[in-house]
Amino acid sequence: MTAADIARIADVKPTAVSNWRKRHGDFPEPVGGTDRSPRFDLAEVESWLTKQGKTSSVTPAEKLWQAFESARDVMAGEAALALAGLLLFHLRQHPAQEIPHDKSGFTQLMARAEHTFTEAPGAAAGGPGELLLSLQYDLGVRHLSLLASTAEAAKADGATATFHQLCDRFLGQGSRTGFAATPRELADLMMTLAGDISGTVVDPACGSGTFLLSAAEHGCRRVQGQDVNPAIAMVAAVRLAFRNVDSPGRPVAFDIHSQNSLVHPVFRRGRAAAVLGHPPFAERNWSYEELEDGPDWEYGFPPRMESELAWVQRALAYAAPGSRVVLLLPPGVAVRRSGRRIRDALVKRGALRAVISLPPGFAAHYALSLQIWLLERPMAGASVPDQLLLVDTSEVARDHRAEPGQAEQIRALVTGIWSDFTSAPDKFAERPGVAKAVPVMSILDEETDPTPRRYLPLPVRSATSTTSLNSTRAAFEDALRVLQQAVPSMPELPAPGAKGQRTVTLNELAKSGVVLLRRPLSTSTLLSTAGTARYLTSSDISLGRAPSRTGTMPDDILENPPIREGDVLVPTFARTPIARVATEADAGAYLDVGIHLIRTETDILNPWYLAGYLSSTEGGRQAVASTSSTGSGGRIDPRKVRILLLPVEQQEKYGAAFRRLAEFTRSLRAAHDLGCDLARNSADAVAAALSAVAAEAPAPASSGV
């Protein structure tokens, strides 16, 4: 368990745990993790808390999670989840099962659990057995701890609730799990686009089975999935097994396999009522040479760098004629020159029917605007559609995570547009900036790029009112007055004497304890609609704005502590080196990736003095890594910057000068932004006046110029 976990069960602040480690020699030693993010044994921590007279509240579910995290040191997380899920399904079917206390007993129990799984309602013959063979596990100490904690949690909370909680917590970790779990709301949207289907739905890269679960809830009678990762395929099968026993009136037949469906397709081609999925992105080793003579390259053999177009064609091969294929793809698939020939064939033959750009971040932890490609396998003799629907929702809901309910807004918008288009493609009324039915011939050019943004008209801007224009002008004039007052003059600074002065690097100050240096995080906390934590980004520092992102609390607050007022924050990458002194408004927020945190002893090193020097040309020159080749200022590493150690009274005077310069910079930026708004709104007002004149002008007598 992490220090943050200890703080939670002891009902204290994370800083208290840090103090315990420093002051108590008998505090448990780390048993794993890293120096920056140590992990502790739960039993040892509980024993220590009891000895100290401190209460702890460790629920069975929390103990299971700690055992799960511990098991991940010796096996992949998805394998640990599959193992726990296997036992939980058995306990769901046999709630009176006696729980053993030794390895021999658990070995027999898991043998019974495997037998229970092979007889899961709806499972295809042989499928569960194949998955069990591919899921290799040896009941070592951490495996036994995981199984014992699983059984304890199931006894306390029920097997079904325990399984769903464990799934949600693991799959919700995003990039930390090693694979991208598709959000359920996105799977439901794509299933809705596939239409009303009662037949078989196939997902050729099913992952944890989210699309298959969505298909089951939409009334499909049979779902089939493959995944190259046997453990995650097992998780998908267990989720479907739980779904069937918890919804006995609406069972779905399921058939899950653990093979690469590009190399070893298991299911019969041309039979699926729909194919959905979120195939792997940018695979470099997708068996290009082995598959060169494959039967499914109806639209052209995909180039080595176009693995996504290989998945597109495999999905089309699985679909029955006239059936839909709905895939989540990166935007590069629409624009890369290497894929133009296949895109051209997909458009010409009517296989590609729509491309829908999603808001950034809508698909789990991806910051890109991913695309939904909606395809149909052409029917023999059918006419080729002459319209392609292009939709862009990125501006409609740029940050759906900030407001719960916007995911439903996107779903309603996209499904409504698709319904209008399919009912009458030739009469589809375009929505400026959002959706347009584009003639196929206008897309077929030297690029064949169906990116929606290229073809969508800009939304009609509302006319700028005189009141709004005057308000913007007044705000700009106020900003200019503030800026004029903030123009810095050359400050009168003390001339430091030569006695006792020396320079020292920040790294040396850190070793002596004068400053605390925290290196930048390399991975970001997932953004979440339920998140209450604020995050300060590198862009926030560069633009001088308040923390702009929200998300869940960091997993380990010792690794990413909240910002304190007076902390010096330095982005790793910036066009020019910049340092920010955290204000009261920043305090309590957490750092996003790529930001150095420097915390000083203010009676030795003034933070404004330090930040001002780091932001100067000389300080920045020292901070830029000599090996950097970013081309935009370089990688910033403040540890090697040499600081002149003046008496703190003199530092405060220099720091005050640096602070006035920082305030001038903020005033300058505010005036610039308001000036740009004024210029844009004025241009819109002039353009609106011209449009009004043009509307009243008489029509020309002829078409001549």
Side-chain angles (χ1 to χ4, degrees):
M1 65 190 314
T2 66
D5 296 326
I6 297 174
R8 184 169 57 253
I9 67 172
D11 195 25
V12 296
K13 293 182 178 180
T15 51
V17 179
S18 180
N19 290 333
W20 292 344
R21 292 187 65 194
K22 294 176 182 177
R23 297 175 181 175
H24 297 276
D26 61 341
F27 191 86
E29 291 294 323
V31 295
T34 64
D35 290 341
R36 296 179 63 192
S37 182
R39 305 188 69 84
F40 304 87
D41 181 83
L42 174 60
E44 292 180 4
V45 170
E46 280 193 288
S47 175
W48 186 86
L49 290 173
T50 302
K51 187 169 65 173
Q52 295 293 323
K54 305 180 188 299
T55 59
S56 65
S57 53
V58 186
T59 64
E62 185 65 29
K63 286 186 177 180
L64 170 57
W65 181 251
Q66 303 310 324
F68 179 81
E69 289 281 52
S70 178
R72 290 172 69 178
D73 291 338
V74 295
M75 65 192 305
E78 56 270 27
L81 179 58
L83 188 63
L86 189 64
L87 175 57
L88 287 167
F89 184 73
H90 175 71
L91 296 177
R92 165 64 177 80
Q93 298 297 81
H94 304 281
Q97 172 72 60
E98 183 178 346
I99 305 303
H101 301 284
D102 56 15
K103 181 176 180 178
S104 175
F106 270 111
T107 300
Q108 297 177 23
L109 175 60
M110 292 310 295
R112 291 193 290 273
E114 291 182 4
H115 178 72
T116 299
F117 180 62
T118 60
E119 297 182 341
E130 175 195 317
L131 292 174
L132 289 169
L133 286 174
S134 63
L135 182 67
Q136 300 292 329
Y137 60 90
D138 179 22
L139 295 184
V141 174
R142 299 198 184 186
H143 298 76
L144 291 173
S145 175
L146 171 64
L147 295 176
S149 297
T150 299
E152 182 182 348
K155 183 178 179 181
D157 302 326
T160 300
T162 299
F163 178 69
H164 291 317
Q165 290 169 7
L166 192 58
C167 272
D168 291 345
R169 193 164 182 178
F170 174 68
L171 298 177
Q173 289 184 327
S175 57
R176 287 189 59 202
T177 64
F179 62 91
T182 309
R184 179 57 185 268
E185 61 267 23
L186 178 55
D188 288 341
L189 165 60
M190 293 170 64
M191 188 65 221
T192 302
L193 293 173
D196 295 328
I197 298 168
S198 59
T200 299
V201 169
V202 172
D203 184 348
C206 66
S208 59
T210 303
F211 284 105
L212 303 180
L213 287 166
S214 178
E217 294 306 316
H218 278 76
C220 297
R221 294 194 301 266
R222 183 179 184 85
V223 295
Q224 298 175 327
Q226 275 185 260
D227 199 275
V228 68
N229 183 335
I232 202 63
M234 181 74 171
V235 170
V238 174
R239 293 178 80 189
L240 287 162
F242 264 103
R243 186 261 168 205
N244 277 353
V245 297
D246 292 332
S247 304
R250 300 179 294 114
V252 61
F254 64 91
D255 190 6
I256 310 296
H257 294 263
S258 60
Q259 294 170 303
N260 185 332
S261 59
L262 280 182
V263 182
H264 300 292
V266 173
F267 308 116
R268 297 181 64 182
R269 295 171 170 84
R271 297 300 183 92
V275 182
L276 285 85
H278 175 178
F281 295 169
E283 287 185 302
R284 296 294 177 262
N285 183 21
W286 58 275
S287 303
Y288 171 86
E289 294 84 358
E290 183 179 351
L291 295 172
E292 186 171 1
D293 297 324
D296 296 331
W297 313 132
E298 188 175 347
Y299 301 90
F301 180 55
R304 186 184 300 275
M305 305 300 289
E306 295 288 349
S307 62
E308 296 92 350
L309 291 176
W311 285 103
V312 166
Q313 295 192 74
R314 176 51 49 84
L316 283 167
Y318 273 138
S323 295
R324 289 177 184 163
V325 172
V326 189
L327 299 177
L328 183 69
L329 299 172
V333 182
V335 301
R336 289 194 293 259
R337 293 189 62 83
S338 56
R340 188 202 66 80
R341 179 174 50 87
I342 295 177
R343 294 196 301 269
D344 192 83
L346 290 169
V347 173
K348 280 181 178 177
R349 297 180 57 182
L352 183 60
R353 299 301 317 281
V355 176
I356 302 163
S357 291
L358 298 170
F362 189 75
H365 59 277
Y366 290 105
L368 295 172
S369 296
L370 298 186
Q371 296 174 349
I372 295 174
W373 279 34
L374 211 162
L375 307 103
E376 288 184 6
R377 183 172 180 181
M379 299 179 66
S383 59
V384 176
D386 58 3
Q387 302 281 338
L388 180 67
L389 177 65
L390 301 178
V391 182
D392 186 359
T393 66
S394 58
E395 292 298 330
V396 175
R398 173 163 289 277
D399 190 0
H400 78 283
R401 299 158 298 196
E403 297 182 22
Q406 283 202 346
E408 175 59 27
Q409 174 193 347
I410 295 170
R411 188 202 65 80
L413 172 69
V414 171
T415 54
I417 289 172
W418 175 243
S419 177
D420 292 345
F421 174 74
T422 53
S423 61
D426 295 333
K427 298 180 180 179
F428 180 79
E430 67 182 49
R431 304 188 186 187
V434 178
K436 183 178 182 180
V438 179
V440 165
M441 294 307 297
S442 66
I443 293 177
L444 298 172
D445 54 20
E446 65 275 6
E447 296 181 351
T448 311
D449 176 2
T451 301
R453 178 63 65 183
R454 291 190 63 193
Y455 302 91
L456 293 176
L458 293 174
V460 178
R461 293 177 62 90
S462 58
T464 303
S465 68
T466 302
T467 302
S468 174
L469 197 58
N470 289 338
S471 175
T472 304
R473 177 181 294 277
F476 176 63
E477 291 172 346
D478 289 342
L480 285 179
R481 283 191 287 270
V482 172
L483 178 63
Q484 188 172 15
Q485 296 172 0
V487 174
S489 57
M490 186 59 191
E492 293 185 8
L493 298 172
K499 233 178 179 186
Q501 295 174 13
R502 65 188 181 95
T503 61
V504 62
T505 66
L506 276 176
N507 199 40
E508 292 170 337
L509 290 175
K511 290 179 179 178
S512 64
V514 174
V515 302
L516 169 68
L517 279 172
R518 290 197 179 275
R519 304 176 77 177
L521 301 173
S522 58
T523 57
S524 177
T525 299
L526 278 178
L527 299 187
S528 167
T529 56
T532 57
R534 298 178 300 135
Y535 282 82
L536 183 77
T537 69
S538 294
S539 295
D540 296 336
I541 296 175
S542 299
L543 298 175
R545 66 189 181 197
S548 64
R549 297 173 67 182
T550 59
T552 55
M553 293 286 289
D555 287 335
D556 194 335
I557 300 180
L558 288 182
E559 183 178 3
N560 186 8
I563 298 170
R564 294 182 189 172
E565 185 175 359
D567 286 346
V568 179
L569 311 171
V570 183
T572 304
F573 292 101
R575 190 170 299 277
T576 57
I578 183 172
R580 167 168 168 169
V581 179
T583 64
E584 183 180 357
D586 299 325
Y590 296 92
L591 291 179
D592 204 350
V593 297
I595 302 173
H596 295 272
L597 182 145
I598 308 170
R599 185 168 292 166
T600 70
E601 294 287 346
T602 55
D603 57 345
I604 301 176
L605 185 60
N606 180 273
W608 282 103
Y609 172 72
L610 172 62
Y613 187 71
L614 290 174
S615 299
S616 70
T617 302
E618 175 57 26
R621 183 189 64 77
Q622 295 182 40
V624 175
S626 59
T627 57
S628 175
S629 59
T630 63
S632 60
R635 184 181 182 91
I636 309 300
D637 185 356
R639 292 175 299 171
K640 57 184 181 178
V641 175
R642 302 193 72 86
I643 303 295
L644 179 65
L645 281 185
L646 299 175
V648 70
E649 297 81 10
Q650 293 185 6
Q651 289 184 36
E652 289 173 351
K653 293 181 179 180
Y654 282 99
F658 282 134
R659 186 167 191 167
R660 288 193 295 272
L661 292 172
E663 291 169 353
F664 169 71
T665 301
R666 282 196 295 271
S667 299
L668 181 62
R669 184 178 292 112
H672 169 270
D673 293 344
L674 284 168
C676 289
D677 289 344
L678 178 61
R680 183 175 58 254
N681 292 343
S682 299
D684 289 346
V686 174
L690 287 174
S691 298
V693 172
E696 295 177 1
S702 68
S703 59
V705 178

